Amino acid sequence: MPPKNRIPRHIAIVMDGNGRWARRQKRPRFWGHKRGVERVRSTVEGCIDLGVEALTLFAFSTENWRRPEEEVSFLMDLFMSSLKREVKRLHKNGIRLRVIGDKSGFSEKLQATIAEAEELTKDNSRLSLNIAANYGGRWDITEATRTLCHQVANGTLAPEQITEEILHEQVTLSDLPDPELFIRTGGEKRVSNFLLWQMAYCEFYFSDLFWPEFDRQALDLAVSSFEGRQRRFGRTGDQLLEEED
Ligand code: IPE
Ligand code: IPE
Ligand code: MG
């Protein structure tokens, strides 16, 4: 296992490839989504094992509403049933669950189930698990901007006071360290409007495995790829070596 300081504090994952994985075994797409949920469980366990502080999973994007109606409604039902089934286990394991995204797009029942799960687990601190649902990075930044505009309009904030830090406070997950490792399964090499603001200095890792195939070994591989990288944050490699001495 890599030394503790080389473990990413926050991992963000685009869980992609459920549909193609199912098609490859001549099964309908929804089969792949169901199997994908099992991978969420094993990835959460793996992150706890490794000592990761936060895990953010992309479950449904603001663009995924464009899918066929039956697939969208299957995904909503799966989200609801998985939440109901898993919440006690999450709580028992000391996991804090949050859903990030525009929750007003969900049914009232689903919104209530999310609120209950968030309330039950809010004081847990072993792992912060964030599910991005009806989430878009541009939506996130737009909402943060709106909040600041309200503050300016009601006189509690002057436009000159707006800094990166002030805007940062308003985007989702600002209480957590920014994601340090981004993983996308399924072979595509794109961000698909995930955590745009939060990933400014994130390390990227792409896996050709489909999400239902992403097992503990695959997670370890992604984390060891992070371990070997030199994160320069604008400085030179020599500067970093000098600091280490
Ligand atoms: C990711 O798998 C899950 C969601 C977007 C909900 P996909 O459903 O995108 O699977 P592919 O990319 O079509 O294989
Ligand atoms: C991104 O996957 C969103 C999720 C994994 C939930 P998509 O499969 O929807 O991404 P695109 O549309 O191919 O970029
Ligand atoms: Mg996809």
Side-chain angles (χ1 to χ4, degrees), residues 14-20 29 64 67 184-185 188 190:
V14 176
M15 310 183 288
D16 197 19
N18 292 347
R20 280 165 289 158
R29 291 179 57 86
N64 286 145
R67 293 190 177 199
R184 182 173 186 140
T185 60
E188 310 295 356
R190 52 180 174 254

Side-chain angles (χ1 to χ4, degrees), residues 8 33 40 89 91 121 143 154 184:
H33 295 313
V40 171
R89 191 206 315 256
H91 186 48
T121 62
E143 286 305 301
N154 70 24
R184 182 173 186 140

Side-chain angles (χ1 to χ4, degrees), residues 71-157:
E71 180 161 344
V72 170
S73 84
F74 180 84
L75 286 168
M76 291 298 149
D77 290 349
L78 185 64
F79 188 22
M80 178 92 156
S81 59
S82 307
L83 259 182
K84 282 197 161 152
R85 201 182 51 235
E86 300 292 331
V87 67
K88 282 206 187 92
R89 191 206 315 256
L90 294 175
H91 186 48
K92 217 175 80 204
N93 287 323
I95 297 165
R96 175 178 185 187
L97 179 86
R98 268 187 276 184
V99 175
I100 57 165
D102 185 0
K103 291 175 234 182
S104 69
F106 299 140
S107 70
E108 279 184 16
K109 255 171 117 181
L110 181 52
Q111 288 185 49
T113 306
I114 292 170
E116 273 170 37
E118 290 182 332
E119 177 61 27
L120 178 72
T121 62
K122 72 178 190 312
D123 296 323
N124 296 338
S125 59
R126 196 148 162 238
L127 175 79
S128 192
L129 172 64
N130 313 297
I131 306 291
N134 197 15
Y135 178 86
R138 289 183 171 183
W139 165 84
D140 198 348
I141 297 168
T142 306
E143 286 305 301
T145 307
R146 191 194 323 283
T147 305
L148 294 187
C149 287
H150 278 303
Q151 294 177 3
V152 169
N154 70 24
T156 54
L157 180 74

